Structure formats: C-alpha cells, structure tokens
Amino acid sequence: MNLFNLSDVGMEFGERILFQNVSFTIGETDKIGLIGGNGTGKTTLFKILLGQMQATSGEVFQNKQTSIGYLEQHTNLTSDKTVLEEVLSVYDDVMAIEEELSEIARKIEEKQGDLSALTERQHKLTERYQARDGYTYKSRAKSSLLGLGFSEAELLVPFSQLSGGQKTRVSLCKLLLSGANLLLLDEPTNHLDLAAVEWLENFLRDYRGAFCVISHDRYFLDKIANRIFALEYRKITVYEGNYSRYLTQKAEREKSVLRHYENTQREIKRLEGVVRQQRQWNREKNIKTAESKLKAIARLEEGLEAPESEAPSIHFKLSAKPGGGQDVLILDNVSMGFAEKHLFSGANLTVRKGNKMFLLGANGCGKTTLFKLITGVFEPTGGMIRLGANIAVGWYDQTQSDLSLHKTVFEEIADSHPQMTQTEIRNALAAFLFRGEDVFAPIAELSGGERARVSLCKLMLSDVNFLLLDEPTNHLDIASREALEQALLEYDGTCLIVSHDRYFINRLAHSVCNLEQSGLTLYLGDYDYFLSKKAEVRQEKAQEPPAAGREAYLLQKQEAAEARKRESDLKKVEKEIADCEQKAEELQEELNHVGSDFMKAQELSESLDALNEKLLELYEKWDGLSS
C-alpha cells in the first residue's frame, strides 16, 4: 500500500522555482532520508504533504488510511503539565478506556444494570485496550523519555520550564508514541546527545510504519534509511539504500550522464557536418537528407540530459600560525562545578601538536565549560590548565556569540580585520557563499547556517594554531560539512572539537576523549574505535577474568590493543597516501596545460614539490607501520 503518490509536483514563489516535476511514492514500510542543501525546499515539501501548503503544479494523492505525525525543527507546543504528563497525553484515549473499564467492573461487582450488555462492552473495550498497548503504555512513555536523555527527576518538571531543545525532545517523544503510520521528522537529531541519537536510531529501525526524515547527519542516515530522496537542482532523484549507497549510486549516475552527454554531442556534431555537406550539393535528394538529419538532431537534443553543474559550495583553506610547542594543552587534575552543580573532577589530558582530538560526553556534562576554562572565561575550581609556548587559540562558539547582530556581514569581517582591503574581504566572504549584495545583509537577519558561515570565515582569517570548535557542523548542510571536513583534513595546526556528528568524527579524529564526572578517558582512534572499546569494557565487566592468570590476560589484552591501533593507523596512512597521489596527479595535469603563465606555473610547481615531500613522509610512515 502506498501512503502518498506525487506526480509532477512543482513549487514556485514568484519568479523563484524551488522544485519542479517531482514524482515519487511513499510505501507503508519506507524509511526515507530527505537530503539537500539549506533553502532547497525540504521543509516546504513536508508542508505540501501535510496539506499546509498547496503545490503550484502537479498532483498529490494521499491514501485515506495515512495517519501523519509531524515534528517541526522548532516546536510551538505550550503546556501546564509535567514532562511525563504531557507525553502521556498521547494516550488520552487509553486512559479514557481505563476509566470506563473501571466503572464497568464496579457495576458488575455491584450487579447494577444489564450484566450481559456490560460484559459485552467490557470485552470490546479490553480488546481496544490491548491493541493500544494499554498494559505497557506508561512504561513505554517513561522509557522513551529516559532514552531521549531526560533524567528521572526531569520527568516531574513542568513543561513550561524546559529549554527549547528539551521541548523539542518532548514533542519528538509524543510523536514516536502517537501510533501514526507515517512520521515526517524535520532534523530530529538536533538537541540530542549521542546516547539519545543512538536510542532514536534503534527506535526507528524497529518502527513498523513509514517515515521520512530531513537530516544532514550522514551517520544517522546510514543507520536508519532504506531510500534516499535527494533534492538537488530543483528536482528529486530517488536512490535505493542508505546514505553510503546513495553516494556510490550518485557517482555512477553522474559518470553515466556525462558519458552519454559527450557521446550524443559528438553524434550531433557529426550530423551537423552531414547537413552542411548536403546543403552544399543542393539537390532535391540532398535537401531531403539534410532535413532528415535535422530532425534526428532535434530528437537527440530533446532527450539529452546535460551534466548537472556543481551548485555553489563553501571552499576555503585554514592555515595555522607557524611555531608553537609540542605540548599544546595540558590539563592537570582539573575540576569544575558551579554552586548548584558539580560537573567533573580529576580531568587529566595532554594535547600534542597536530592532533585532531574530539571531546565527547552527554549534554550538560561540561564540554563547552571546559572550552571556557581553556580560553580563560572561567577559572577551574581545582587543578591547573596550561597552554604550550607560542600557542594562539581560535574558538568557534556554537552560539555565534562572537558576532555583532547590529553589523552587516561585511562590517563583521572588516572590523575584525581592519588591515584587509575591500577586495580581500569580498574574496574571503565569496568562499563562504556571500556574494554581491549578500555581504551587506545584517547579521541579525541571517539564518543559523549563514551565521555559522560568517563565524567560520572569521576563523579562517584568524592567526592561530590551536582551534577549539564547539559543534561546528550545527546548521551546516551536507555540502558545507564536507567543505569544512576537507579544510580541517588539510589543516596543519591542532584541533580540539566538540561534535555529535559521528560521520565528521570518523573522517577527522586522531583520538577521542570522553568527559564524565570522574574525568577524561582518552581513546586513540575514531568514533567507531571508541564504540568498540566501550563495548569491550561492558563485556569485560560481564566476564571478569579469574585472579589466576590475570597478568597473562592483561598482557594479551595490551598486545591486542596495540595491534588494533597499528592496523587503524595503517588504514589512515593509506587513505592519506591515496588522497595525496590523486592531488599530485591533478596538479601535474594542471601544470602540463598552464601554457605561458609563468607565475601560475611557479605556484603549481611549489605546491607539487610540497605535496611530494609530504608523500615521502607518508611512505616512510607506512613502511614503519606495515613492517
């Protein structure tokens, strides 16, 4: 059964076309990830499905049995109930059945009314009660709230006292328990920590209905989606499989389209040559042949799909300030707390030069507070924090508190870097998609993603060698996240990053550090390595080895850990070598065709020499690891 069927749907706002000729179906068990850049119309498409907006063209067919649950990015829900009471309101019908069953039981016990009719009514109500999970709904509501990151104490807090993110989590919980057979979820992982995101993944994987999720979280999409709807270039292309499968299929499709386009263009040119030749001979037979070839050209051009030009995307390079000691940051038995809350104690850590370390931990554990300790905004309640010699810190704040809302985009950069010319400022902003009149937009009127791009631009221009990045991928679409990843991969400074984006962590992490009340625990690998080590710890606790032979057991465990670390490092070095070799080939190809532009040739040669030196270092590193 199809819940929805869209045929040639389009949406326009005046002269602006969001999308056109959109056709797809949503089946009753489809797990759909809807992806696309910010502003391409994903939320608008949801509103068309909900009937809140009318498409400007095409037809939308909704099955009568379709029951929709919708989660907005920002909830407008108000309530005077507690958190638990608000979620239990999803089961108002179940609670009404409970009251009626209780009343019927009382009447039967007291022999009031028609006992036969009461017994029959009791039987029907009991069936409905069981069908609505009546015996487990209270425990389901409570466990769902706990899974989404609420504590036992918070279940009794008035809903009106919650933060915006907490209210969104309550709305998500109600939606997941609503019994709808189609969920429309707009950025559901916003405001969730990693434990809550993993809980949501498990819930959606087991969900018996269908859902369509707007998300920029690629790891999340890999876990939950069996179809990807890509809203790009004003149309939707449907791919079967998860996000990784989508990437493979998209690359194959683009190659096929380009190959067909080039072959068709060659055939059109050949036919045009035939037409010119036949017209020169100018006989009746030749004229008919020319007309026939012109019709063939028209047919080829009509069915020709041109390769999609790349959409504008962020492209920038981060350069570290030269120098700085090998020990970039040292935390020595650091503790922190406030009058009303203890955060952590006994935190010890050394961050080495060039390391890209990720800081993980539950929401509210003190990750952002630790950044404020490092930058001197707060003083620790215990212990010592030291920055290395000649270390300059650049801080990306997820709240964009470094931006002045009364300034324009241009003024924000110009005031931070008064030595830059207007042309230099415009060129820097263009790398972050602020072009033309966009540079004069007031900061106060920008979206979250646009403000994030201004903050990243300021960071790019800063003269630092140690980056503290607090949730840098928040508000960024997938293309912008990939651009940030590439810039950080090429960055030769040191990074300490707070992020819930597991795909992002896996691409960049040299190490992962987990913050808890008891301090910091360091894992020398990426996010998947961190997960595997956590799983090992749980298994060890379940199967504690006997005292006898414990020394041998610990030695074996250490050797196995070292072997896994070498294997992980080897894979990373091999990936870096492949990337460098590809870049070197591209530079050499560009150098071969540079012509008489001496300055350009010199620039390319210097880049190629630097890349070859890096390759030699990587080959030596690979040789050491592999032997």
Side-chain angles (χ1 to χ4, degrees):
M1 179 181 75
N2 286 333
L3 304 177
F4 267 101
N5 187 4
L6 274 67
S7 178
D8 293 326
V9 168
M11 192 68 190
E12 301 175 15
F13 294 100
E15 295 183 357
R16 184 188 175 207
I17 300 174
L18 266 186
F19 47 80
Q20 54 193 358
N21 301 323
V22 167
S23 299
F24 61 77
T25 61
I26 299 178
E28 59 185 337
T29 58
D30 280 346
K31 319 293 184 188
I32 299 165
L34 176 57
I35 64 173
N38 290 335
T40 53
K42 302 184 297 296
T43 300
T44 299
L45 184 61
F46 269 16
K47 290 183 177 179
I48 290 173
L49 294 176
L50 289 161
Q52 296 178 2
M53 298 181 75
Q54 187 73 35
T56 52
S57 61
E59 295 180 302
V60 178
F61 300 98
Q62 179 179 341
N63 193 305
K64 291 181 180 179
Q65 296 181 37
T66 302
S67 170
I68 303 176
Y70 175 46
L71 177 73
E72 299 180 82
Q73 280 196 54
H74 308 288
T75 182
N76 298 315
L77 179 64
T78 58
S79 173
D80 56 1
K81 299 176 180 177
T82 67
V83 170
L84 182 57
E85 287 170 346
E86 181 57 37
V87 171
L88 286 173
S89 67
V90 170
Y91 296 102
D92 280 346
D93 61 322
V94 180
M95 289 186 277
I97 293 172
E98 278 183 335
E99 289 182 9
E100 189 174 350
L101 283 173
S102 179
E103 180 64 16
I104 289 172
R106 184 188 65 79
K107 287 181 178 180
I108 291 175
E109 185 178 349
E110 296 176 2
K111 296 183 172 56
Q112 294 180 11
D114 185 341
L115 294 182
S116 177
L118 286 171
T119 304
E120 184 179 349
R121 177 65 176 164
Q122 185 185 49
H123 178 70
K124 289 180 179 179
L125 286 174
T126 302
E127 287 183 339
R128 283 171 53 191
Y129 189 72
Q130 289 174 333
R132 281 286 282 133
D133 298 321
Y135 296 112
T136 60
Y137 77 93
K138 290 180 181 178
S139 60
R140 279 170 57 83
K142 186 175 179 180
S143 64
S144 296
L145 282 167
L146 296 176
L148 287 170
F150 287 96
S151 66
E152 288 272 3
E154 287 172 331
L155 302 189
L156 304 178
V157 171
F159 180 84
S160 58
Q161 294 181 14
L162 300 182
S163 67
Q166 289 173 316
K167 287 179 179 179
T168 300
R169 280 191 276 148
V170 172
S171 298
L172 174 59
C173 190
K174 289 180 65 177
L175 183 63
L176 297 177
L177 299 172
S178 67
N181 61 5
L182 174 61
L183 302 179
L184 301 180
L185 309 176
D186 197 345
E187 293 286 359
T189 60
N190 285 358
H191 312 296
L192 300 184
D193 61 20
L194 286 173
V197 171
E198 288 168 2
W199 179 90
L200 179 59
E201 285 171 354
N202 291 329
F203 185 98
L204 291 176
R205 276 203 300 266
D206 296 336
Y207 191 66
R208 287 174 289 183
F211 58 77
C212 184
V213 176
I214 295 173
S215 182
H216 300 308
D217 187 332
R218 296 156 290 176
Y219 198 102
F220 179 69
L221 291 170
D222 258 351
K223 292 287 187 181
I224 57 101
N226 60 22
R227 303 179 82 193
I228 296 293
F229 287 6
L231 181 49
E232 302 167 312
Y233 314 107
R234 300 178 179 175
K235 65 180 183 180
I236 280 184
T237 306
V238 176
Y239 297 87
E240 301 300 326
N242 62 8
Y243 182 79
S244 293
R245 181 67 186 131
Y246 146 77
L247 289 178
T248 303
Q249 292 179 73
K250 183 183 178 184
E252 292 171 352
R253 182 180 180 276
E254 288 178 348
K255 285 181 183 178
S256 176
V257 168
L258 178 61
R259 187 163 51 247
H260 178 69
Y261 180 80
E262 291 173 343
N263 290 340
T264 305
Q265 289 285 34
R266 280 194 289 269
E267 177 62 11
I268 288 173
K269 287 181 180 179
R270 185 188 72 80
L271 291 173
E272 287 173 342
V274 173
V275 169
R276 286 194 298 271
Q277 184 184 61
Q278 295 295 321
R279 281 175 171 171
Q280 285 176 353
W281 292 341
N282 201 27
R283 297 173 185 168
E284 184 179 351
K285 180 179 179 182
N286 302 125
I287 291 172
K288 288 182 178 179
T289 300
E291 289 175 350
S292 173
K293 298 303 181 186
L294 284 171
K295 289 179 181 178
I297 290 172
R299 285 194 299 271
L300 288 172
E301 289 178 337
E302 183 181 358
L304 184 59
E305 181 182 1
E308 294 162 337
S309 59
E310 288 296 320
S313 60
I314 293 177
H315 183 74
F316 66 103
K317 182 177 178 62
L318 291 165
S319 298
K321 175 184 177 180
Q326 291 299 312
D327 289 344
V328 175
L329 172 70
I330 297 174
L331 304 183
D332 185 6
N333 206 33
V334 173
S335 300
M336 187 59 189
F338 300 98
E340 68 280 5
K341 185 178 182 182
H342 168 73
L343 290 175
F344 55 83
S345 57
N348 294 286
L349 181 67
T350 299
V351 180
R352 305 286 184 185
K353 186 176 183 178
N355 197 359
K356 294 181 176 65
M357 181 182 292
F358 281 79
L359 181 62
L360 306 185
N363 285 347
C365 72
K367 301 185 294 296
T368 299
T369 299
L370 182 57
F371 275 14
K372 291 181 178 179
L373 291 173
I374 295 168
T375 54
V377 176
F378 292 154
E379 287 290 330
T381 54
M384 186 179 295
I385 298 175
R386 298 196 303 274
L387 287 171
N390 299 316
I391 297 300
V393 179
W395 181 21
Y396 175 91
D397 180 5
Q398 63 169 314
T399 64
Q400 285 109 34
S401 60
D402 61 318
L403 302 181
S404 302
L405 298 183
H406 63 277
K407 293 181 181 180
T408 66
V409 174
F410 186 91
E411 289 168 346
E412 183 69 36
I413 303 301
D415 291 348
S416 300
H417 301 279
Q419 78 284 0
M420 294 178 66
T421 65
Q422 286 198 16
T423 301
E424 288 171 337
I425 293 171
R426 278 188 169 274
N427 288 339
L429 286 170
F432 291 86
L433 307 185
F434 293 102
R435 300 186 174 97
E437 294 300 308
D438 295 343
V439 302
F440 302 118
I443 299 287
E445 296 178 8
L446 299 182
S447 67
E450 289 167 331
R451 291 185 190 182
R453 286 191 268 129
V454 177
S455 288
L456 286 171
C457 184
K458 289 180 68 175
L459 193 65
M460 177 191 75
L461 298 170
S462 60
D463 189 23
V464 300
N465 49 21
F466 181 29
L467 297 179
L468 299 178
L469 307 178
D470 193 358
E471 298 288 1
T473 61
N474 276 8
H475 309 296
L476 296 182
D477 58 25
I478 289 176
S480 299
R481 292 180 187 211
E482 290 173 345
L484 177 60
E485 285 168 359
Q486 192 58 40
L488 290 174
L489 279 169
E490 297 170 0
Y491 180 60
D492 55 353
T494 309
C495 302
L496 181 59
I497 307 170
V498 172
S499 181
H500 290 145
D501 187 336
R502 295 159 295 174
Y503 200 98
F504 182 65
I505 299 171
N506 273 343
R507 281 206 69 192
L508 292 171
H510 296 150
S511 55
V512 167
C513 198
N514 194 43
L515 178 61
E516 298 174 304
Q517 280 195 345
S518 57
L520 291 161
T521 306
L522 185 63
Y523 299 84
L524 299 177
D526 58 15
Y527 181 77
D528 287 341
Y529 176 77
F530 161 73
L531 281 185
S532 68
K533 296 302 293 182
K534 295 277 281 186
E536 283 180 19
V537 170
R538 286 195 298 269
Q539 187 175 4
E540 285 170 11
K541 287 181 178 179
Q543 294 181 326
E544 194 69 29
R550 183 170 179 79
E551 186 176 338
Y553 163 78
L554 291 174
L555 179 62
Q556 182 183 11
K557 177 184 167 186
Q558 180 183 350
E559 290 173 349
E562 290 172 353
R564 284 194 300 272
K565 175 69 168 55
R566 283 196 301 274
E567 184 179 354
S568 175
D569 289 346
L570 186 62
K571 288 180 180 178
K572 284 193 174 183
V573 170
E574 288 173 346
K575 175 69 167 58
E576 286 184 69
I577 288 173
D579 291 343
C580 286
E581 287 177 341
Q582 181 180 349
K583 182 65 176 175
E585 289 178 7
E586 292 171 357
L587 286 173
Q588 186 62 58
E589 182 68 19
E590 193 174 353
L591 188 60
N592 293 340
H593 297 87
V594 76
S596 58
D597 188 342
F598 172 76
M599 295 296 292
K600 182 66 174 176
Q602 186 177 10
E603 180 183 339
L604 289 170
S605 296
E606 289 173 356
S607 298
L608 191 58
D609 290 341
L611 202 58
N612 284 328
E613 285 181 14
K614 185 176 180 181
L615 270 170
L616 286 174
E617 293 175 7
L618 289 170
Y619 288 143
E620 290 177 5
K621 192 173 181 181
W622 181 89
D623 188 51
L625 288 167
S626 61
S627 62

